[in-house]
């Protein structure tokens, strides 16, 4: 939980004297959770003993402006320590120099397609063992570090060895539409790095047919070509085309 992760982080801060680049990295699941945790951490840090280093609480996730991301990556001011609250963007995408401790609750947000509902959802899920190893590796990249995992060894052993590739759990309708717009008539015949499940391609084709983006032979329709030019999921692209024809784009 957020509360447990902050408690461990503040304990680590309290027992680590001020030193060169001894920052603490906490993995959380999303921007909203990070904002809540940052507010709580700043209030708790204000009540810490004065002899401890100042604690600079910073957020790190993909939706932040570039200058705020740069602040999370920059060294802490002299005599202070950074508490970095990050999504899994810090697992592999970014290297934060100076992190000596990682707190890992073991969860991340994961997008997946729920076929029964016909839509994608973003849900909190357990990370894989390889992701846990990546998170641990963020600590001590240039000096000895430590990781605090907020789950048991049994939980770790029960995790999947590797994360499920996104192509195997997400709606492929948009990808299929783009491939067809590039003249690739048989996407299943491509040499995929991770082949998509056949049922997912069939479901994507069915959705495109119901949206009148492809015809019964699988070829793009005129509307399908228009939809492919819009940077939107097919259902939203179809919605925009309909709104234009009904002259209610602003309301739509």
């Amino acid at each position: 939980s957020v509360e447990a992760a902050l408690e461990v982080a503040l304990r680590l801060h309290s027992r680590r004297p001020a030193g060169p680049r001894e920052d603490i990295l906490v993995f959380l699941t999303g921007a909203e959770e990070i904002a809540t945790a940052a507010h709580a951490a700043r209030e708790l840090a204000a009540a810490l003993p004065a002899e401890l280093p100042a604690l600079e609480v910073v957020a790190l996730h993909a939706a932040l402006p570039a200058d705020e991301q740069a602040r999370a990556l920059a060294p802490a001011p002299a005599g202070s320590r950074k508490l970095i609250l990050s999504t899994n963007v810090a697992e592999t995408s970014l290297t934060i120099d100076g992190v000596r401790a990682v707190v890992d609750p073991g969860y991340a947000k994961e997008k997946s397609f729920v076929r029964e509902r016909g839509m994608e959802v973003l849900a909190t899920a357990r990370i894989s063992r390889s992701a846990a190893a990546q998170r641990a590796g963020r600590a001590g990249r240039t000096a000895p570090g430590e990781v605090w995992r907020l789950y048991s060894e049994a939980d770790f052993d029960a995790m999947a060895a590797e994360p499920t590739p996104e192509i195997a759990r997400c709606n492929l309708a948009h990808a299929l539409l783009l491939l067809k717009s590039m003249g690739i008539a048989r996407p299943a015949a491509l040499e995929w790095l991770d082949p998509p499940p056949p049922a997912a391609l069939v479901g994507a084709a069915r959705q495109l047919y119901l949206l009148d983006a492809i015809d019964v032979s699988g070829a793009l329709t005129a509307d399908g070509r228009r939809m492919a030019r819009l940077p939107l999921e097919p259902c939203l692209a179809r919605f925009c085309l309909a709104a234009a024809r009904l002259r209610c784009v602003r309301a739509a």
Side-chain angles (χ1 to χ4, degrees):
S1 70
V2 173
E3 293 79 7
L6 289 182
E7 181 181 352
V8 171
L10 290 174
R11 284 185 182 180
L12 289 170
H13 173 62
S14 297
R15 70 174 177 79
R16 297 174 78 91
R21 301 309 302 274
E22 290 200 342
D23 300 329
I24 301 167
L25 171 62
V26 178
F27 282 98
L28 297 173
T29 60
E32 185 176 347
E33 187 180 33
I34 285 173
T36 301
H39 178 74
R42 291 185 181 107
E43 287 189 342
L44 292 169
L48 291 173
E51 61 268 19
L52 288 174
L55 191 63
E56 183 186 15
V57 180
V58 294
L60 182 59
H61 55 80
L64 281 176
D67 58 334
E68 292 189 42
Q69 292 191 32
R71 180 172 168 240
L73 300 175
S80 65
R81 172 177 295 130
K82 282 193 305 182
L83 173 59
I84 305 147
L85 306 174
S86 177
T87 61
N88 55 3
V89 69
E91 272 181 27
T92 55
S93 302
L94 299 169
T95 295
I96 309 171
D97 190 26
V99 171
R100 297 290 175 267
V102 165
V103 180
D104 177 19
Y107 289 96
K109 287 281 177 65
E110 188 175 85
K111 185 171 68 171
S112 59
F113 183 60
V114 182
R115 286 181 173 80
E116 295 78 10
R117 296 168 62 184
M119 62 185 297
E120 286 183 327
V121 298
L122 194 62
T124 300
R126 273 287 187 193
I127 61 173
S128 65
R129 293 197 298 274
S130 65
Q134 286 281 3
R135 291 183 176 192
R138 299 297 97 186
R141 292 179 66 80
T142 55
E146 58 187 326
V147 58
W148 290 77
R149 289 173 170 159
L150 307 187
Y151 44 91
S152 68
E153 188 173 355
D155 289 334
F156 178 83
D157 292 338
M159 291 174 176
E162 300 287 340
T164 303
E166 187 169 329
I167 197 170
R169 53 182 166 80
C170 292
N171 185 9
L172 301 183
H174 190 219
L176 184 59
L177 180 65
L178 293 181
L179 288 171
K180 286 185 174 292
S181 73
M182 291 187 285
I184 299 172
R186 297 179 59 242
L190 291 174
E191 292 186 15
W192 298 87
L193 184 63
D194 292 298
L201 283 176
V202 170
R206 181 176 183 273
Q207 183 180 359
L208 293 181
Y209 176 73
L210 292 174
L211 293 171
D212 197 28
I214 60 175
D215 61 23
V216 70
S217 70
L220 275 184
T221 63
D223 275 352
R225 285 189 289 275
R226 295 184 186 99
M227 290 163 63
R229 291 197 292 267
L230 298 176
L232 296 168
E233 289 297 313
C235 57
L236 293 178
R238 189 71 182 82
F239 177 73
C240 289
L241 291 186
R245 287 169 183 157
L246 296 170
R247 301 181 183 276
C248 58
V249 171
R250 184 177 297 277

